[in-house]
């Protein structure tokens, strides 16, 4: 079923620019204020999703599908990144019994 | 209730649940609020008629990645008591930095919009599976194949890292 997009109902693209900027900034602030490494990875996912939202908005706005393909590839990369990041985290937790990024500081050689 | 009001409510809910992700002290609550955020973002995709991306977002993000996060969280056995905390000064500095970043981004994007609005050409079928599949398997077939190599690399890496190695130091 084909529905009318929200932009055909007179919605401005500004709304999605502001929304995804706010989401991105929330992700950045989350990375800065939290010290749990898992929450940090989640905030990175939030930032990636903010970018995805803006990509889909512009793709729909200009009537070009390419942006949505890129969103698909961003999801692929995000899935790979989350897997490797979490397995590194589990391994680090086994050795130092914490996920505090302040203590990861001691890992440097 | 028209579609615009609905979009604004959806956007507000998205921002609210995203804020709860970074505010809530319990990591499990953070994960659940992030799942909620992804559902609201999918709602936004449906409003823009990007049906394929909306479905994939729920299946891949809320279904696979967030379950992985939840599993790791349960495995690590973290609790509210030993949650590491930053000092008030660092939090304040982070909020100021975030506010400045927001201002700069909005100020930078504000001027580009005047040009964008003139060349608008809207179509309502571009987000459907048929269109995206056509494009993915013709123009973007090489990146699609390369992403399978990326997945193999990620899988091998995860298995290698997750394997319990022999303890040398006790």
């Amino acid at each position: 079923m084909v529905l009318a997009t929200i932009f055909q109902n007179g919605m401005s693209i500004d709304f999605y620019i502001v929304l995804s900027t706010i989401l991105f900034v929330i992700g950045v602030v989350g990375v800065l204020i939290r010290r749990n490494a898992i929450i940090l990875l989640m905030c990175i996912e939030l930032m990636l999703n903010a970018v995805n939202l803006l990509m889909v908005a512009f793709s729909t706005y200009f009537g070009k599908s390419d942006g949505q393909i890129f969103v698909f590839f961003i999801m692929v990369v995000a899935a790979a990144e989350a897997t490797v990041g979490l397995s590194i985290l589990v391994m680090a937790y086994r050795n130092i019994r914490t996920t505090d990024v302040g203590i990861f500081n001691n890992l440097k050689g | 209730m028209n579609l615009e009001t609905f979009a604004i409510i959806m956007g507000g809910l998205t921002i609210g649940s995203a804020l709860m992700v970074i505010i809530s002290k319990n990591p499990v609550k953070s994960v659940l609020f992030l799942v909620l955020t992804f559902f609201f973002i999918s709602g936004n995709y449906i409003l823009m008629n990007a049906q394929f991306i909306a479905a994939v977002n729920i299946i891949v993000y809320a279904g696979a990645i967030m379950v992985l996060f939840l599993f790791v969280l349960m495995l690590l056995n973290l609790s509210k008591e030993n949650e590491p905390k930053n000092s008030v000064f660092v939090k304040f500095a982070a909020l100021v930095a975030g506010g400045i970043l927001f201002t700069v981004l909005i100020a930078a994007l504000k001027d580009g919009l005047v040009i964008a609005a003139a060349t608008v050409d809207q179509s309502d079928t571009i987000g459907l599976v048929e269109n995206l599949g056509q494009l993915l398997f013709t123009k973007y077939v090489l990146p699609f194949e390369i992403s399978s190599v990326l997945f193999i690399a990620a899988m091998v890496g995860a298995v290698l890292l997750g394997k319990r190695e022999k303890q040398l130091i006790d």
Side-chain angles (χ1 to χ4, degrees), chain B residues 12-78:
Chain B
L13 286 171
T14 315
I15 292 168
S17 56
L19 271 177
M20 285 307 290
V21 172
I22 65 169
I23 288 173
S24 61
K25 292 274 172 282
N26 192 344
V28 177
K29 269 187 196 161
S30 283
V31 173
L32 294 178
F33 272 113
L34 197 57
V35 173
L36 199 63
T37 312
F38 289 154
F39 272 100
F40 287 134
I41 287 176
S42 275
N44 280 312
Y45 291 159
I46 288 168
L47 283 178
M48 289 183 276
N49 207 21
Q51 299 170 9
F52 174 69
I53 295 294
V56 167
N57 193 47
I58 288 182
I59 294 168
V60 173
Y61 267 114
I65 299 183
M66 283 302 114
V67 170
L68 192 67
F69 272 94
L70 212 53
F71 260 110
V72 170
L73 214 52
M74 300 293 179
L75 216 61
L76 299 192
N77 193 22
L78 301 172

Side-chain angles (χ1 to χ4, degrees), chain B residues 101-117:
Chain B
L101 178 67
F102 177 72
T103 315
V104 168
L105 279 177
I106 288 294
L109 290 168
K110 193 166 65 71
D111 291 335
L113 305 183
V114 185
I115 311 158

